[in-house]
Amino acid sequence: RRVLFRSCALALVITVNGIAAPVFAELPNLDPLRFAGEIVAFQEWDSKNYVPEGAILFVGSSSIRMWPTAAAFPGAELVNRGFGGAEFPDIFYYYERVITRYAPRKILLYVGDNDVGRGKSADAVFADYLTLVEWVKRDLPETELHFISIKPSKVRWSYWPVMDAVNQRVAAHAASDPVLGYIDLAT
C-alpha cells in the first residue's frame, strides 16, 4: 500500500473524537522521490545487517538522521531512519519502508519543523500528526508513538509561534492516550 501525494491540494478526512472532518493541505507537497536514494540505502543496509524487531525506532527529518542515536543510547536496540528534510507527507509516502517494516515497540518521531518552515499552519501540521497516529494505531496497535517537540532555532525563529502551537496541541493530545507521548525538548 503506497499513497502517492501529488503536487496539488488534497482533501483528507480525519476522525477526531469520533467526528470525521475534512482537512485540506495548504501547500503542494514536495516530490517524495527526492529521498529515494536515502530510502534505498536503508533497504541495502537492512539486507546486510541485523535489524532487531521490537526495537526503538527513531524516524523523521535530518535532526534524527544526524543524531548519533547509538552513542546516545548505548546498549539499546534501536533503528535510526531519519532522512533529509522530511515532512509529514514524506513519512506517509515511505510509511511502510521506514515504520511498519520494523515492527517497533516505540517510535520516537521528529517531524513538523520543515513543514512549518515551508509555510504550513499549525492546524495542517497537527492534522498530519493525527493522521500518523491513526495509521500507527491501526497497523501497530501495541506500539508507543512519542513526538519529539519541534525545536526552536535561530534560522526559523520567525516560525516559532506556529511551531510552539503545534507542540502544545500535540502535547495536549498525547496526554490523553497511554500509547502516545510527547518529549519536550523545546522548553
Side-chain angles (χ1 to χ4, degrees):
R1 169 182 48 109
R2 275 195 176 164
V3 180
L4 180 59
F5 290 87
R6 299 256 179 224
S7 293
C8 62
L10 298 175
L12 302 174
V13 176
I14 64 168
T15 303
V16 179
N17 296 328
I19 300 169
V23 176
F24 296 93
E26 300 172 324
L27 300 170
N29 294 319
L30 298 174
D31 183 1
L33 296 179
R34 69 193 187 283
F35 297 118
E38 289 181 71
I39 302 304
V40 167
F42 293 154
Q43 291 175 302
E44 289 174 357
W45 191 94
D46 291 349
S47 71
K48 298 173 185 168
N49 295 281
Y50 168 71
V51 180
E53 190 171 301
I56 299 169
L57 173 67
F58 289 80
V59 68
S61 64
S62 61
S63 293
I64 293 294
R65 180 177 55 84
M66 296 186 312
W67 188 7
T69 49
F73 301 93
E77 286 195 321
L78 58 90
V79 175
N80 184 319
R81 290 296 172 259
F83 55 101
E87 297 178 15
F88 269 106
D90 304 309
I91 301 294
F92 298 150
Y93 185 82
Y94 291 112
Y95 176 73
E96 291 177 345
R97 294 166 79 179
V98 299
I99 294 180
T100 58
R101 77 171 313 273
Y102 297 106
R105 65 183 171 85
K106 288 185 183 184
I107 299 169
L108 278 73
L109 173 74
Y110 184 82
V111 69
D113 189 339
N114 295 313
D115 304 71
V116 173
R118 215 165 55 82
K120 271 190 173 178
S121 70
D123 288 341
V125 176
F126 183 66
D128 286 344
Y129 163 76
L130 292 176
T131 297
L132 186 61
V133 167
E134 185 178 303
W135 288 16
V136 169
K137 284 185 168 199
R138 177 195 66 212
D139 299 329
L140 302 163
E142 303 297 317
T143 299
E144 295 177 18
L145 175 61
H146 299 271
F147 183 89
I148 300 171
S149 65
I150 301 173
K151 63 191 177 342
S153 68
K154 288 181 182 181
V155 175
R156 292 188 171 159
W157 186 248
S158 63
Y159 297 103
W160 178 243
V162 177
M163 294 172 172
D164 188 44
V166 172
N167 287 343
Q168 289 179 33
R169 292 177 77 180
V170 170
H173 182 76
S176 67
D177 190 320
V179 298
L180 299 178
Y182 175 78
I183 301 169
D184 185 3
L185 299 182
T187 59

